[in-house]
Amino acid sequence: MLETITAPAPEPRAHVVVVANEKGGTGKSTTAMHLIVAALRQGFTVASIDLDAGQGSLTRYIENRARFGVRQDASLPLPHHAVFAASNADSRAAAAEDERQRLAALVADLAPRFDCLVLDTPGGDTPTVREAITYADTLITPVNDSFIDLDLLGRVEGNPPKIVSPGRFSAVVWEQRKLRAQRTGGSIDWVVLRNRLTTLGSRNKAAMADTLQELSKRVGFRPADGFGDRVIFRELFFQGLTVLDLREEGLGFELTLSHVAARQEVRRLIEFIGLAGKIAPAERPGKARLSVSLQTGPGAR
Ligand SMILES: Nc1ncnc2c1ncn2[C@@H]1O[C@H](COP(=O)(O)OP(=O)(O)O)[C@@H](O)[C@H]1O
Ligand SMILES: [Mg+2]
């Protein structure tokens, strides 16, 4: 069979962030939305792709944001957003090929035009999610703080827990990293983010941290500090807001200690990824740096 060769993306290209985990409900869309707004607030142009058109959480989040901005008369920065529709080809192979080609075309179209490209993916191991991972300069995998979630990264057995082999999702990332290297010679910075951390110190939590540290060396990711389990992350969806927006005048939020802590967690992730250092719009020939449309308050970015 003839292998299709994907042409390298035209330069200059966006920094591509893919948020993926084989498991659903780990905070992928929430993380994607916070990354998008963080990048926008740093003055970068951002395009986003919702590969989970079935659930459409990211798309709904962005629609809610646009609507809320109009209603409150606040100019909340928005990404250029694309919904990636699933193929309706009748065989699985034809659908995978159709999606592969459309994703390549979409990325090739957006990457030269934006500073940052954020792809949100559905849970589950599909050819299209695998394909999306090969475009990642940064791959972010949010995991809930339980050994069930960790199992996809590494098989852990016994007490105290011992890693016996790489998990299923780690094997997927390994394969896609090889493909990526073959195609463009590039590498993927894989960041695993613990999400919904509880404040209670527990033996389980400490064991998770140790195991994740150990696993990170075995399967090649960087463990990030993570987000606490905070109501605010759930509450903002309907307004399309992120914890980075809360300081804005007129949005009607009283900033609580938990909000401040949440903002710090998100900022820490952005720093950990090193987004600002990886996107250098000012250096791009013939490309003016976009100014942020929102008047930022003290401490806001
Ligand atoms: N750090 C957090 N604290 C509290 N709730 C969270 C947190 N992260 C995500 N959630 C909630 O968990 C649910 C699943 O998150 P979502 O981002 O949709 O996951 P995924 O995209 O992986 O399916 C949502 O209701 C979301 O609001
Ligand atoms: Mg989602």
Side-chain angles (χ1 to χ4, degrees):
M1 201 173 81
L2 214 126
E3 205 182 55
T4 327
I5 295 161
T6 316
E11 295 288 342
R13 59 187 296 265
H15 184 80
V16 182
V17 182
V18 177
V19 188
N21 182 344
E22 207 172 312
K23 193 164 179 295
T26 60
K28 292 182 291 298
S29 301
T30 307
T31 304
M33 187 65 180
H34 279 78
L35 280 168
I36 290 166
V37 173
L40 285 167
R41 284 191 172 279
Q42 289 188 3
F44 299 119
T45 58
V46 182
S48 45
I49 305 176
D50 190 351
L51 286 152
D52 191 4
Q55 283 202 342
S57 309
L58 182 66
T59 303
R60 292 280 311 288
Y61 210 142
I62 292 168
E63 283 170 357
N64 290 347
R65 184 176 179 84
R67 214 173 302 126
F68 187 72
V70 171
R71 203 175 337 128
Q72 298 293 112
D73 203 18
S75 61
L76 295 166
L78 287 163
H80 171 92
H81 185 66
V83 182
F84 188 84
S87 174
N88 44 28
D90 39 13
S91 81
R92 265 211 224 170
E97 181 55 19
D98 170 44
E99 291 184 9
R100 196 188 64 76
Q101 286 182 13
R102 280 192 293 119
L103 183 60
L106 188 56
V107 172
D109 173 40
L110 296 174
R113 298 197 284 131
F114 292 88
D115 299 324
C116 184
L117 190 52
V118 178
L119 279 66
D120 186 28
T121 66
D125 179 13
T126 70
T128 304
V129 171
R130 287 184 176 225
E131 193 64 19
I133 291 172
T134 63
Y135 290 106
D137 296 310
T138 302
L139 170 66
I140 301 187
T141 299
V143 293
N144 284 330
D145 223 28
S146 89
F147 278 103
I148 295 179
D149 274 30
L150 216 63
D151 198 57
L152 289 168
L153 302 179
R155 275 283 143 79
V156 178
E157 283 174 8
N159 193 7
K162 263 185 80 79
I163 301 158
V164 291
S165 64
R168 263 185 21 192
F169 189 66
S170 293
V172 169
V173 176
W174 174 257
E175 284 303 315
Q176 302 321 107
R177 273 178 158 158
K178 274 200 301 196
L179 258 182
R180 163 62 175 271
Q182 282 164 16
R183 283 181 185 173
T184 65
S187 62
I188 301 174
D189 178 22
W190 186 16
V191 171
V192 171
L193 174 82
R194 291 166 80 191
N195 191 23
R196 308 193 68 165
L197 291 162
T198 50
T199 43
L200 292 172
S202 68
R203 266 206 300 181
N204 181 63
K205 195 174 163 186
M208 277 284 297
D210 290 347
T211 312
L212 212 60
Q213 195 68 41
E214 188 59 36
L215 253 179
S216 70
K217 291 179 233 145
R218 288 273 293 268
V219 298
F221 60 77
R222 297 194 296 137
D225 273 352
F227 299 164
D229 191 359
R230 299 180 191 281
V231 196
I232 191 68
F233 281 114
R234 284 198 294 276
E235 284 178 344
L236 296 173
F237 174 77
F238 288 115
Q239 292 104 325
L241 298 175
T242 67
V243 299
L244 302 168
D245 300 304
L246 298 179
R247 279 257 172 93
E248 295 313 313
E249 297 287 327
L251 296 183
F253 278 92
E254 284 282 326
L255 218 59
T256 67
L257 278 179
S258 171
H259 298 166
V260 173
R263 287 166 69 106
Q264 273 165 356
E265 286 166 356
V266 175
R267 286 187 178 158
R268 233 185 291 142
L269 174 67
I270 304 301
E271 268 167 39
F272 190 77
I273 296 169
L275 208 54
K278 284 170 176 158
I279 312 170
E283 288 165 23
R284 289 184 176 182
K287 185 169 186 304
R289 185 171 165 147
L290 259 208
S291 61
V292 194
S293 56
L294 197 75
Q295 289 303 306
T296 51
R301 282 202 187 165

